[in-house]
Amino acid sequence: MDGIPSDEQIAEMTKELTQARIANWLAEDLFTWRWWFVLALLIVPWVIFHYTADRKKLPRLFLYGIFLFIIVLILDTLGYENGLWYYPCKIVPFGPLVAFIDAGPLPVIYMLEYQYFPKWRDFIVVSIITSLIFSFALEPAFRVMGLYVPIAWRCIYSFPIYIILPVLMRLAVEKVFAAAMD
């Protein structure tokens, strides 16, 4: 078919895109205040988690966090690749990478909520509050700071996702642990 790039052409375009990303990252991101801020947002939540996580609950917490991270990573990559948003400042120059939020504050906050709110009702309430904060405070703040640029995305779209994800992941983790007890 005419106009459809071959696998070899796609591989070459990917190589050129990667080279462009590296050049952009070196010139625009590396060691800027935003880069240091993003790095801190990746590391600091894990330091907090280290000191606040209940060691007896670590297997459950980590499974929950890994489930969340995988789903959020997939969703974030899909949004990035489809031009719904992008992240102007990256820790490394590859992929959306994948937003500092995906690997730092988001899973840590949700893991701590899972730990501190064991009753379903409380967990759902805190998930709604977290969703409000993520959707209507943090996303706009990151936009103003130049860390997140929505293209075809609005904060209201994120709101139900930030509620549904932790609830579904909690259900999944509880099913895994219930099956392990049989």
Side-chain angles (χ1 to χ4, degrees), residues 21 24 69:
R21 282 182 176 151
N24 173 271
F69 174 72

Side-chain angles (χ1 to χ4, degrees), residues 148-162:
Y148 165 69
V149 177
I151 299 166
W153 194 260
R154 297 182 52 198
C155 298
I156 191 72
Y157 303 157
S158 300
F159 180 67
I161 295 169
Y162 287 130

